[in-house]
Amino acid sequence: MTDTTLNGRTAEPPREGVLVRLSQTMVAFSERWFPDAYIFVLLATVAVALAAIVHGGSPVAVSAAFGEGFWSIIPFTMQMALVAIGGYIVALSPPVAALMRRAAAVPTTGRGAVVFVGVVSILLSLVNWGVSLIFSGLLVREIARRKDIRLDYRAAGAAGYLGLGFGFTLGISSSAAQLQANPASIPPSLMPITGVISFYETILTWQNLLVIVVGTLLSAAICYYTTPSDAAAKTAADLGVDLVDAKVEQKPTRPGDYLEFSPILTILIVVLAAGWFYETFKSGNPLITMSGLNTYNFVFLLVGALLHWRPRSFLVSFSQAMPSVAGVLLQFPFYGGIAYMLTRVKTEGASLSDTIAHWFVSLASDTSVFSFIVGIYSAVLGFFIPSAGGKWIIEAPYIMKAANEIGAHLGWTVMVYNIAETLPNFINPFWMLPLLGVLKLKSKDLIGYTSMQFFIHFPVVMLLAVALMHTFTYRAPVIP
């Protein structure tokens, strides 16, 4: 009798669980019907343009807004690209690569590896989303190289995206919480409405910690129960993904290569930047200081150069990082156009964004209903404007004004926004682009799994956010 027979009969493969079967149904659907991320952004652009026209905007005004907005977030686009590149460079450096190899050896099963990647992604995202996205992607690739476990590459890749769907706006990288905690960052028109809201009323509350714990455990459970068994898993090899990284030359081949293999210039550049480091970090919380994108990118590029030690190693890693940001450079400008069509095309003084927001907020009768409506609206708008900081500037004036009128805690209102705002990332491939570049996959490969996270996460964390509003007492805006 062979291993595959029992009493003369061929043994059937183990039956997958309900969530696995459901996730595989969604995976099959997305593989067949979900378009490339570029097609997705084109569809979103057309949908918003038509909605703006139906709202009363003239086609010429809508077209003008799209054209003006298209280049409006170019600095932000470059910042996002450099976040991904900086994380990639650091993750490919010899010291971090060695650490990643040790981390990749921790899981003992394929399903355990998916859960491990998901938890790492969320925890890293609480510090910085860029590190979470790139490190998690490279960790998946490292685990996929193992021969002793069979890793479903798609499920693991989706787990590496968890920090962007749940997590990063609950930590120090929360743009909304950062803006509200810094008086200099709050627009003058917003200051009388919100005042200054410290971290102790937003991300450092026990309520936020509870949401993080519940959400992380929920994410881990979804990862475990939606990952297919070894028999049904699709590895990187099954998907035709090449896991071989480019090799870095270890020594010069001609005299002109000497400085590329010498650490002299790296050391001099780091010494040159030492004064900037001192002036930038000499006062205040260094984690808060690092929240500025320009500061973060500069630090990571310098740290990456130092960790690579030799310019040649740094240059090779930079070149390897470029494919991961191709989608960002192509698609981000479209979201700038979408934002302008939503906010700049006005009919009788109201933009499409204003009308949608005021309609939602007008339905609120108490803090519970208000919290739920804020969450729903933030999630809906977040699907079309997936930029937590920029979108908060749009929403904050009327959301926080309504919070004052209803008596909802201002700090937790910010966190309700944060909790709901990121959830659409699970079904919108906008922030997935750098990860897809690292994994060498397409959005359709991950959406089946991430959509399961969305459908289960949304009701749970939203109900939790609404319930926790009752543990707060309203406080009037604090004007410095």
Side-chain angles (χ1 to χ4, degrees):
M1 184 173 67
T2 67
D3 293 337
T4 59
T5 62
L6 182 62
N7 296 328
R9 292 179 300 175
T10 301
E12 295 182 0
R15 183 174 174 81
E16 302 283 11
V18 174
L19 286 181
V20 171
R21 296 199 303 272
L22 182 56
S23 69
Q24 291 309 296
T25 298
M26 299 189 74
V27 167
F29 175 84
S30 63
E31 287 181 342
R32 181 173 177 82
W33 294 104
F34 202 85
D36 183 83
Y38 177 62
I39 301 302
F40 194 93
V41 74
L42 294 182
L43 290 173
T45 301
V46 173
V48 171
L50 292 175
I53 292 173
V54 171
H55 182 252
S58 71
V60 173
V62 172
S63 177
F66 173 67
E68 292 171 6
F70 194 84
W71 303 115
S72 64
I73 59 171
I74 288 301
F76 179 67
T77 301
M78 285 301 299
Q79 287 173 326
M80 293 300 100
L82 286 171
V83 164
I85 290 172
Y88 205 116
I89 288 171
V90 169
L92 283 182
S93 67
V96 177
L99 175 63
M100 190 179 301
R101 284 192 293 272
R102 288 194 290 271
V106 171
T108 57
T109 66
R111 277 183 172 147
V114 173
V115 173
F116 179 69
V117 170
V119 173
V120 168
S121 175
I122 291 174
L123 294 179
L124 287 177
S125 75
L126 297 175
V127 178
N128 192 279
W129 67 266
V131 176
S132 170
L133 202 60
I134 303 305
F135 185 91
S136 298
L138 293 172
L139 178 61
V140 170
R141 287 176 61 84
E142 192 62 41
I143 296 175
R145 293 188 178 101
R146 291 176 54 179
K147 304 298 183 182
D148 57 328
I149 62 174
R150 186 170 174 82
L151 180 73
D152 189 291
Y153 195 66
R154 304 161 304 168
Y161 190 57
L162 285 182
L164 271 291
F166 170 82
F168 86 96
T169 54
L170 306 183
I172 63 169
S173 56
S174 167
S175 301
Q178 290 284 0
L179 181 144
Q180 293 294 164
N182 293 279
S185 300
I186 302 174
S189 60
L190 186 59
M191 179 65 80
I193 301 173
T194 67
V196 177
I197 306 172
S198 74
F199 277 178
Y200 294 105
E201 295 186 89
T202 54
I203 65 173
L204 297 182
T205 58
W206 68 262
Q207 292 90 340
N208 186 48
L209 177 61
L210 178 62
V211 173
I212 291 172
V213 171
V214 171
T216 301
L217 293 176
L218 180 63
S219 297
I222 297 170
C223 282
Y224 185 84
Y225 288 109
T226 58
T227 299
S229 63
D230 288 355
K234 284 192 176 183
T235 66
D238 294 334
L239 298 169
V241 176
D242 183 9
L243 297 175
V244 178
D245 293 328
K247 298 295 183 180
V248 180
E249 295 180 45
Q250 299 298 320
K251 58 183 179 179
T253 58
R254 62 190 184 92
D257 294 337
Y258 174 76
L259 289 177
E260 294 182 25
F261 292 88
S262 170
I264 292 175
L265 290 178
T266 299
I267 295 172
L268 290 176
I269 293 299
V270 172
V271 169
L272 175 64
W276 173 86
F277 270 93
Y278 174 76
E279 290 295 326
T280 302
F281 291 92
K282 68 179 180 181
S283 62
N285 188 324
L287 294 179
I288 295 177
T289 303
M290 278 287 287
S291 67
L293 283 173
N294 287 336
T295 300
Y296 169 81
N297 284 329
F298 191 41
V299 168
F300 257 72
L301 287 174
L302 289 173
V303 169
L306 192 60
L307 290 174
H308 280 275
W309 198 236
R310 293 172 173 81
R312 171 54 68 89
S313 177
F314 180 85
L315 286 169
V316 170
S317 67
F318 198 100
S319 297
Q320 288 182 252
M322 290 309 296
S324 71
V325 300
V328 172
L329 296 175
L330 173 62
Q331 296 177 44
F332 270 39
F334 282 92
Y335 283 100
I338 289 173
Y340 267 50
M341 288 189 292
L342 279 168
T343 60
R344 297 295 182 90
V345 181
K346 296 187 177 182
T347 302
E348 297 180 357
S351 66
L352 177 60
S353 177
D354 292 333
T355 300
I356 296 172
H358 293 151
W359 181 76
F360 272 108
V361 174
S362 68
L363 299 176
S365 57
D366 57 35
T367 57
S368 294
V369 177
F370 171 75
S371 299
F372 185 75
I373 291 174
V374 168
I376 293 293
Y377 169 67
S378 296
V380 171
L381 190 58
F383 188 81
F384 294 101
I385 308 179
S387 172
K391 191 164 71 67
W392 177 246
I393 296 296
I394 297 171
E395 290 189 45
Y398 43 80
I399 294 294
M400 298 300 269
K401 182 179 180 181
N404 283 315
E405 294 174 357
I406 295 172
H409 186 267
L410 297 179
W412 193 245
T413 298
V414 174
M415 295 313 298
V416 170
Y417 165 85
N418 280 336
I419 292 167
E421 196 278 332
T422 59
L423 293 176
N425 289 346
F426 280 131
I427 53 178
N428 185 338
F430 181 74
W431 293 112
M432 198 181 285
L433 298 172
L435 178 64
L436 294 173
V438 173
L439 297 174
K440 300 181 181 179
L441 292 175
K442 293 185 177 181
S443 55
K444 65 181 179 63
D445 298 313
L446 307 188
I447 288 292
Y449 294 100
T450 59
S451 60
M452 287 295 296
Q453 292 280 350
F454 173 79
F455 290 121
I456 297 175
H457 256 282
F458 193 87
V460 174
V461 297
M462 279 307 305
L463 288 175
L464 184 59
V466 171
L468 288 173
M469 178 62 84
H470 294 285
T471 66
F472 290 92
T473 301
Y474 172 75
R475 296 175 185 172
V478 177
I479 312 298

